[in-house]
Amino acid sequence: MQIAFYLSGLVAILATLRVVTGTHPVHALLYLIVSLIAVAMVFFALGAPFAGALEIIVYAGAIMVLFVFVVMMLNLGESAVEQERAWLQPRAWMGPAILTAVLLVVMVVTLASGDYDGTISGETLTAKMVGISLFGPYLVIVELAAMLLLAALVAASHLGRSEAHDEADLARERQRELNDQASAASTSETSNPTREARRDAQEGKA
């Protein structure tokens, strides 16, 4: 299981780097799915099959499908790719890279100085044990997390609806302007022959 743990962790790190450095949104989503599956394999190697199954079903399955739908609805093109390339400039990722390197050094020093023999041991964590822990001593934390997620869902729905109404109002205003321009153009076209006819009549009389 040690080999599976380290290989899955390496795949997760590499795939996550491709998610951050990728410029195409669909390619980034594919690498994110690979990263989530690798994290699920890490859970399986640590003896937590229930957490690994949830990682695949919930995150790599349902949530990633939502991400794909959002990308399809936004219809991101070359402008999004250029924006991603602008965000990947050294001045944008240098700060997070330095902080990540500091955390990596702290983790390596902690593992090197501690009583860690490099082996994975422990009993398998079943779904029953997870349920007993969540709805036992951690019941208040679970309820608070549920309330926080519900508030985030309501806020996201409200913000999305207000933005949709604003976009609909802008679309109506643009359509009204186009209709006004079209009516003005048609009026000018109908008035021009009338003026020409009057001019011809005046010249004939003369």
Side-chain angles (χ1 to χ4, degrees), residues 23 40 88 100 109 111 152 161:
T23 57
L88 289 176
T100 305
V109 171
L111 293 177
R161 184 175 300 176

Side-chain angles (χ1 to χ4, degrees), residues 11-204:
V11 171
I13 293 173
L14 295 177
T16 305
L17 288 176
R18 287 298 301 158
V19 172
V20 177
T21 58
T23 57
H24 199 282
V26 177
H27 298 169
L29 288 177
L30 293 176
Y31 279 109
L32 183 56
I33 293 174
V34 174
S35 176
L36 293 174
I37 294 175
V39 172
M41 291 299 299
V42 169
F43 283 124
F44 282 116
L46 291 175
F50 182 69
L54 289 181
E55 186 79 18
I56 295 176
I57 296 172
V58 178
Y59 289 97
I63 294 179
M64 294 310 302
V65 169
L66 292 178
F67 284 0
V68 172
F69 283 164
V70 168
V71 171
M72 292 171 61
M73 291 174 61
L74 293 177
N75 194 14
L76 301 175
E78 294 297 329
S79 60
V81 175
E82 294 297 331
Q83 186 177 13
E84 290 289 338
R85 289 176 180 173
W87 286 346
L88 289 176
Q89 298 297 324
R91 58 184 176 84
W93 57 264
M94 190 63 68
I98 293 174
L99 295 177
T100 305
V102 171
L103 292 177
L104 179 61
V105 171
V106 171
M107 184 184 67
V108 171
V109 171
T110 303
L111 293 177
S113 61
D115 187 11
Y116 180 71
D117 56 357
T119 60
I120 299 174
S121 62
E123 60 181 4
T124 302
L125 186 63
T126 61
K128 181 179 180 180
M129 297 174 63
V130 174
I132 292 174
S133 299
L134 290 180
F135 296 99
Y138 299 104
L139 179 61
V140 178
I141 298 177
V142 172
E143 294 296 332
L144 290 176
M147 293 176 62
L148 181 62
L149 291 174
L150 180 60
L153 179 62
V154 173
S157 176
H158 178 71
L159 293 175
R161 184 175 300 176
S162 62
E163 291 179 358
H165 284 303
D166 294 339
E167 292 179 357
D169 294 336
L170 290 175
R172 293 193 194 96
E173 292 179 359
R174 292 175 182 174
Q175 187 65 32
R176 191 179 299 112
E177 292 177 356
L178 292 176
N179 292 334
D180 294 338
Q181 292 176 0
S183 61
S186 61
T187 303
S188 62
E189 289 177 357
T190 54
S191 61
N192 287 332
T194 305
R195 293 177 182 175
E196 292 178 356
R198 291 178 181 177
R199 187 180 301 169
D200 295 337
Q202 291 177 357
E203 291 179 354

